[in-house]
Amino acid sequence: SWDRKVKVESLKPEMSYAQQISALKDEVLTGNLTPKEGETLTNIVRTQAQVEQADEIERRLKALEEKNK
């Protein structure tokens, strides 16, 4: 099967990750996305959130290390 290009207009850059995942759920429930598309996009959003969280932890750790030198 071929993947299709999807456009999810309900997603906005200013939305939190939780809001983005909720919007994707709504897109699946209304039939605008297939469950597989919703799952794939949710995984992308979740991964981005985890990467940003790790970056924030690293930034804070470096700041603490600098402070304690």
Side-chain angles (χ1 to χ4, degrees), residues 24-45:
L24 290 168
K25 174 198 58 132
D26 292 343
E27 293 288 338
V28 171
L29 292 174
T30 59
N32 293 329
L33 292 175
T34 67
K36 184 65 177 166
E37 291 166 339
E39 178 183 25
T40 299
L41 292 170
T42 296
N43 287 338
I44 291 169
V45 171

Side-chain angles (χ1 to χ4, degrees), residues 3-67:
D3 292 339
R4 68 184 180 114
K5 183 177 180 179
V6 297
K7 185 173 185 177
V8 185
E9 295 193 20
S10 63
L11 292 182
K12 305 292 182 212
E14 64 274 4
M15 296 172 88
S16 70
Y17 292 119
Q19 290 171 323
Q20 290 177 24
I21 290 172
S22 180
L24 290 168
K25 174 198 58 132
D26 292 343
E27 293 288 338
V28 171
L29 292 174
T30 59
N32 293 329
L33 292 175
T34 67
K36 184 65 177 166
E37 291 166 339
E39 178 183 25
T40 299
L41 292 170
T42 296
N43 287 338
I44 291 169
V45 171
R46 184 178 296 119
T47 299
Q48 182 64 33
Q50 290 169 342
V51 167
E52 287 189 19
Q53 183 181 33
D55 284 349
E56 177 65 14
I57 291 168
E58 183 177 348
R59 184 190 66 74
R60 289 181 180 197
L61 182 59
K62 284 181 180 180
L64 284 172
E65 289 171 345
E66 287 297 317
K67 183 179 178 181

